[in-house]
Amino acid sequence: MYKIGTIPGDGTGPEVTDEAMKVLAAVAQKNEIDYDVVEYDIGGERYKRTGEILPDSVRDELGTLDAAFLGAIGHPDVTPGILEKGILLTLRFHYEMYINLRPVKLFPGVWTPIKDKGPEDIDFVVVRENTEGIYKGLGEFQHKGTPDEIAIQISENSRKGVERCIRYAFDLAQTRDRKELTLVGKTNVLTYAMDLWERTFHEVGEEYPDIKLDYAHVDATCMWMVKNPEWFDVIVTDNLFGDIITDLAAMIQGGLGIAAGGNIRPDGFSMFEPMGGSAPKYAGQGVINPLAAIGAMGMMLDFLGEKTAAKQVENAIVSVTSEKIHSLSAGRMGYSTSEVGDLVTSYL
Ligand code: IPM
Ligand code: MN
């Protein structure tokens, strides 16, 4: 019996969470998977109502679950950063969900802005370090508010933190047909941080003779991701670079309507989410695409070890993109949010 938490959150978060849970119910029934869902009221609305961001009791209870699903966090009336830091980053750090996993796969029937590229060209995974780097928030102001002000922001990279992330990426590459792993960095400028990454990458790589190792600077990666996305199989990179390149990657796979991700602690509590935000202007209209959320739920099943069910969810999404909806954009799908959830369920 799995214990699953949901944080529907703000804006369109609750609508897409409903669809993800609808599909979960169907696939669980099909595969005789037992689970319980506990819903948590966290996000901008609660913050506005009560001033609470993430009560310790909720934070601690989440850790007793097998996994969680997050719809979206972000509220137009709340200063940017408060909820992101107070909920998402706090959970990532507290539970050491040290992997941010972002599959980048162009499904058949999905439009990509990259001319002449198809599903056979866009199929890679980004493994982003999720607990260190510049996200640690280390730094200081000097002479704040004066003409001599200096703002220092430090990227902290520990050998252990880098190594566990790189090992995860190698293990993942090992499960794929191509068995190629690219370290994305900026060794020509970040001569401390990326030196550690590069050394660790090659040292760990010696234990994986089957894997073909490659390196690309992050700026060049942005170029190649658009020009030759077929060059990539598995990418491993630090927190900030991973944040940036996965937004670019989401666009070449068809947009935020389809991009899913997971905050993963391989041996512990993990949390899955569609990459898109709370899209307040679409909230409550039933026009937002739930496929990213449904895909994230599928990743959660995969994480839980329910590989067959996870594959079924992915196959059903592929059926929907190839046979039904041809635009993933909010309002242009030709179906409502809940109709798209129904379509996935019907293919299941
Ligand atoms: C993401 C988001 C977060 C990040 C924000 C909301 C703090 O952009 O999950 O990629 O930067 O990690
Ligand atoms: Mn981001």
Side-chain angles (χ1 to χ4, degrees):
M1 168 80 97
Y2 297 114
K3 283 190 292 174
I4 293 166
T6 58
I7 303 175
D10 302 315
T12 53
E15 293 161 59
V16 298
T17 302
D18 281 350
E19 299 315 306
M21 291 303 116
K22 182 198 278 176
V23 177
L24 173 60
V27 77
Q29 193 186 20
K30 190 177 160 78
N31 294 276
E32 294 180 6
I33 298 169
D34 274 343
Y35 69 100
D36 243 352
V37 173
V38 196
E39 186 176 310
Y40 295 90
D41 171 24
I42 295 293
E45 288 300 334
R46 173 157 181 183
Y47 176 60
K48 279 183 64 187
R49 218 169 51 236
T50 69
E52 290 170 303
I53 300 176
L54 178 68
D56 289 355
S57 58
V58 174
R59 184 199 62 200
D60 294 346
E61 208 180 302
L62 282 168
T64 68
L65 308 174
D66 294 300
F69 179 91
L70 175 85
I73 296 282
H75 198 290
D77 303 343
V78 179
T79 313
I82 294 183
L83 301 169
E84 292 87 337
K85 235 181 153 158
I87 300 173
L88 193 56
L89 299 186
T90 299
L91 286 172
R92 284 177 185 170
F93 291 151
H94 184 79
Y95 288 110
E96 282 193 71
M97 298 186 252
Y98 61 86
I99 299 297
N100 197 317
L101 188 66
R102 297 190 167 171
V104 182
K105 202 165 175 172
L106 179 65
F107 289 135
V110 174
W111 181 81
T112 174
I114 311 297
K115 192 163 172 281
D116 299 334
K117 299 290 177 189
E120 61 290 352
D121 302 304
I122 301 175
D123 183 4
F124 60 93
V125 187
V126 180
V127 176
R128 162 186 171 189
E129 203 290 322
N130 209 28
T131 49
E132 295 197 330
I134 215 143
Y135 278 71
K136 273 244 153 159
L138 299 175
E140 64 174 356
F141 292 112
Q142 290 172 1
H143 318 294
K144 191 173 180 185
T146 75
D148 295 322
E149 177 163 356
I150 298 174
I152 299 173
Q153 191 95 41
I154 296 171
S155 172
E156 186 183 276
N157 298 261
S158 69
R159 168 73 195 211
K160 286 186 181 129
V162 169
E163 186 172 327
R164 65 186 178 178
C165 175
I166 285 177
R167 281 191 182 280
Y168 182 92
F170 272 105
D171 288 338
L172 178 65
Q174 194 86 66
T175 67
R176 294 175 55 96
D177 293 340
R178 287 173 56 181
K179 304 202 185 328
E180 292 174 25
L181 180 61
T182 305
L183 172 66
V184 166
K186 189 74 188 168
T187 50
N188 51 350
V189 176
L190 305 183
T191 48
Y192 299 108
M194 282 302 150
D195 186 81
L196 173 61
W197 275 83
E198 207 180 23
R199 274 184 284 122
T200 310
F201 182 62
H202 289 290
E203 281 169 33
V204 175
E206 289 186 7
E207 296 172 35
Y208 293 83
D210 300 355
I211 309 288
K212 181 167 173 273
L213 276 58
D214 204 353
Y215 170 82
H217 291 320
V218 65
D219 47 352
T221 299
C222 293
M223 191 173 73
W224 288 324
M225 215 177 255
V226 171
K227 193 169 168 285
N228 296 101
E230 69 280 5
W231 286 359
F232 298 110
D233 181 22
V234 180
I235 287 176
V236 63
T237 191
D238 83 353
N239 210 337
L240 182 63
F241 293 159
D243 178 48
I244 297 167
I245 65 172
T246 52
D247 266 30
L248 177 62
M251 288 304 118
I252 72 170
Q253 73 179 126
L256 292 175
I258 193 90
N263 302 277
I264 296 178
R265 161 131 199 135
D267 57 351
F269 173 69
S270 299
M271 186 168 77
F272 297 81
E273 50 172 333
M275 262 187 69
S278 57
K281 72 173 177 188
Y282 294 122
Q285 298 175 30
V287 294
I288 201 87
N289 194 325
L291 288 179
I294 295 168
M297 185 280 293
M299 289 178 71
M300 179 172 79
L301 286 170
D302 185 80
F303 168 79
L304 292 171
E306 300 294 343
K307 307 282 176 195
T308 307
K311 195 69 205 156
Q312 288 168 355
V313 171
E314 183 175 315
N315 291 344
I317 294 174
V318 168
S319 298
V320 171
T321 61
S322 43
E323 291 167 30
K324 298 288 180 185
I325 64 172
H326 296 296
S327 171
L328 301 181
S329 311
R332 284 197 240 128
M333 299 185 291
Y335 298 90
S336 70
T337 304
S338 74
E339 282 169 348
V340 175
D342 291 340
L343 282 174
V344 177
T345 306
S346 71
Y347 280 108
L348 272 176

